Amino acid sequence: MRGEFSSRRGPKFAAINAKMTRNIDFVVLSETKTDPTSVKKRKLKFGLIPTLASSQQGPRGGVIVFSHPKFKLLEGSFRESEDLGHFVCGVYNVHGTNTVIGGVYGRSDNADIACARVMQELNNTVSQLKQIFNTNQVIIAGDFNAGRSGSDFSSNQITKVRTSGQLESLIQDHDLIDLAEISGNMHHTWHRRGPLAQTSRIDYILSSIPNEQIKFSTSHTIFDHVMLQAQIGVTRLEMQQTMKDFVLGSEEFIIKATEKIQAKLVGLGLWESLDGLPNNNRRQEDDDTEVERTHELQDHSDNDDNDDN
């Protein structure tokens, strides 16, 4: 699509725009093969603009995320793959909730170790963004160039075992749902025509957002990959803010934490009532009791010595 980014027109963009509707908020394009300056100039139908991009001008790279202007990319949330052009992630405020959005174009070669490394890096990046921006909501989409099982390939064999394993780790670690799987639409998404015809399911939309009314569909275009579309209802999740180190170490926090622990122990009958005594008086009372016990032991010892005499 490199030439079409520069000219801002062509059959590929026309095919994409033909599938656009007003309720589409995010679009992920993979294998874009273009330079960063051209990406910024391109918009999609209904005003979607490129807000995340990792560019690679070679034949096997490039991924772009277009988003509706109403969703703002949070400052400092942009991340891209170390090997440029294979994934890009950012955090958007979606209906009041921070949401990690990622676009993927997995390595298309058969170097399993290198391909798996990209998936592992993506997993670590998502974990980092979730922690920093205090969210569990994640949506990742694109061409992963990896299958989840043998049935995802016309050969019924997984060719990149390590990469598939890292993809499964990504799904499990972040409680992601394969929207094609949950909707029962697991048709292959890539088709190679000709005498050596091959097919596979290597394109996914993965989401951690719980929703019973997910709508998922695929459609064929002029590309060798089908277009995936999904409608996901985003629910605002209330999460407790992560306490910083200076809060945990403050005197006020320590006092309140001690009081709560003490009250819990008293309620369980594991701590006798303090009868309203301050902690320092209680400590003095314990010290006095210990002194009295010491005197008692000393008296007993003296009596034993007298008996021996």
Side-chain angles (χ1 to χ4, degrees), residues 33-34 89 134 136 138 157 199 239 262 293 303 308:
K33 311 177 197 174
T34 189
C89 292
N134 193 39
N136 282 324
V138 180
Q157 292 182 341
T199 64
M239 295 186 63
Q262 189 172 304
R293 290 175 181 171
N303 290 335
D308 292 339

Side-chain angles (χ1 to χ4, degrees), residues 266-306:
V266 170
L268 295 174
L270 301 177
W271 189 295
E272 62 181 6
S273 175
L274 298 179
D275 297 327
L277 293 175
N279 288 342
N280 57 343
N281 289 346
R282 174 56 187 264
R283 178 61 184 170
Q284 183 63 44
E285 183 183 57
D286 289 343
D287 291 342
D288 293 343
T289 302
E290 188 63 26
V291 170
E292 291 175 2
R293 290 175 181 171
T294 303
H295 288 319
E296 290 178 3
L297 291 174
Q298 183 64 41
D299 292 341
H300 284 301
S301 177
D302 292 342
N303 290 335
D304 291 340
D305 292 340
N306 291 332

Side-chain angles (χ1 to χ4, degrees), residues 99-115:
T99 304
V100 179
I101 303 291
V104 178
Y105 178 64
R107 291 178 59 120
S108 58
D109 56 18
N110 290 322
D112 193 16
I113 295 178
C115 296

Side-chain angles (χ1 to χ4, degrees), residues 38 78 85 120 157 202 219 231 243 249 290 307:
S38 298
F78 172 80
Q120 185 177 26
Q157 292 182 341
I202 54 177
S219 56
Q231 181 177 334
M243 290 183 291
E290 188 63 26
D307 291 340

Side-chain angles (χ1 to χ4, degrees), residues 106-107 109-110 112 115 119 142-169 171 178 186-190 199-204 206:
R107 291 178 59 120
D109 56 18
N110 290 322
D112 193 16
C115 296
M119 290 295 120
D143 176 4
F144 289 72
N145 274 310
R148 299 186 60 194
S149 66
S151 62
D152 290 329
F153 301 92
S154 54
S155 63
N156 288 317
Q157 292 182 341
I158 295 177
T159 55
K160 295 187 288 188
V161 177
R162 291 184 179 87
T163 308
S164 294
Q166 288 296 333
L167 173 57
E168 285 303 308
S169 295
I171 293 172
D178 181 348
M186 297 178 67
H187 300 298
H188 287 187
T189 61
W190 174 78
T199 64
S200 59
R201 190 176 82 96
I202 54 177
D203 303 89
Y204 306 94
L206 307 173

Side-chain angles (χ1 to χ4, degrees), residues 117-135:
R117 190 178 299 118
V118 172
M119 290 295 120
Q120 185 177 26
E121 183 188 357
L122 173 61
N123 192 340
N124 295 338
T125 299
V126 173
S127 296
Q128 182 189 67
L129 290 175
K130 285 171 60 179
Q131 182 177 14
I132 293 175
F133 293 91
N134 193 39
T135 184

Side-chain angles (χ1 to χ4, degrees), residues 27-309:
V27 172
V28 175
L29 299 183
S30 60
E31 199 175 3
T32 50
K33 311 177 197 174
T34 189
D35 60 273
T37 56
S38 298
V39 171
K40 297 179 181 179
K41 302 175 182 178
R42 199 62 169 90
K43 292 183 179 181
L44 294 181
K45 195 174 180 180
F46 302 118
L48 270 70
I49 57 176
T51 48
L52 294 174
S54 183
S55 301
Q56 186 183 105
Q57 298 186 47
R60 295 180 176 180
V63 58
I64 304 171
V65 174
F66 290 79
S67 62
H68 194 284
K70 65 183 177 183
F71 300 121
K72 302 301 181 182
L73 177 66
L74 301 187
E75 184 178 356
S77 68
F78 172 80
R79 302 288 189 278
E80 65 180 328
S81 54
E82 182 178 352
D83 184 7
L84 299 181
H86 291 299
F87 72 76
V88 65
C89 292
V91 180
Y92 295 79
N93 186 290
V94 180
H95 303 304
T97 301
N98 291 348
T99 304
V100 179
I101 303 291
V104 178
Y105 178 64
R107 291 178 59 120
S108 58
D109 56 18
N110 290 322
D112 193 16
I113 295 178
C115 296
R117 190 178 299 118
V118 172
M119 290 295 120
Q120 185 177 26
E121 183 188 357
L122 173 61
N123 192 340
N124 295 338
T125 299
V126 173
S127 296
Q128 182 189 67
L129 290 175
K130 285 171 60 179
Q131 182 177 14
I132 293 175
F133 293 91
N134 193 39
T135 184
N136 282 324
Q137 295 202 158
V138 180
I139 301 175
I140 305 175
D143 176 4
F144 289 72
N145 274 310
R148 299 186 60 194
S149 66
S151 62
D152 290 329
F153 301 92
S154 54
S155 63
N156 288 317
Q157 292 182 341
I158 295 177
T159 55
K160 295 187 288 188
V161 177
R162 291 184 179 87
T163 308
S164 294
Q166 288 296 333
L167 173 57
E168 285 303 308
S169 295
L170 172 71
I171 293 172
Q172 294 175 14
D173 291 349
H174 304 289
D175 297 318
L176 300 177
I177 300 170
D178 181 348
L179 299 190
E181 182 179 35
I182 199 172
S183 64
N185 184 355
M186 297 178 67
H187 300 298
H188 287 187
T189 61
W190 174 78
H191 302 79
R192 172 181 286 173
R193 299 175 179 84
L196 301 176
Q198 293 179 322
T199 64
S200 59
R201 190 176 82 96
I202 54 177
D203 303 89
Y204 306 94
I205 300 178
L206 307 173
S207 171
S208 68
I209 302 172
N211 192 312
E212 297 180 356
Q213 302 297 325
I214 291 175
K215 296 181 180 180
F216 179 86
S217 63
T218 61
S219 56
H220 290 271
T221 62
I222 63 174
F223 302 100
D224 55 356
H225 291 257
V226 301
M227 180 176 288
L228 310 183
Q229 289 182 287
Q231 181 177 334
I232 308 170
V234 178
T235 304
R236 180 163 186 164
L237 299 178
E238 296 294 337
M239 295 186 63
Q240 186 175 359
Q241 292 289 330
T242 303
M243 290 183 291
K244 304 298 183 181
D245 292 341
F246 70 86
V247 176
L248 291 173
S250 68
E251 183 178 359
E252 181 182 2
F253 176 84
I254 295 173
I255 293 173
K256 289 184 177 180
T258 303
E259 290 175 349
K260 288 185 177 181
I261 294 172
Q262 189 172 304
K264 186 66 175 178
L265 292 174
V266 170
L268 295 174
L270 301 177
W271 189 295
E272 62 181 6
S273 175
L274 298 179
D275 297 327
L277 293 175
N279 288 342
N280 57 343
N281 289 346
R282 174 56 187 264
R283 178 61 184 170
Q284 183 63 44
E285 183 183 57
D286 289 343
D287 291 342
D288 293 343
T289 302
E290 188 63 26
V291 170
E292 291 175 2
R293 290 175 181 171
T294 303
H295 288 319
E296 290 178 3
L297 291 174
Q298 183 64 41
D299 292 341
H300 284 301
S301 177
D302 292 342
N303 290 335
D304 291 340
D305 292 340
N306 291 332
D307 291 340
D308 292 339
N309 292 333

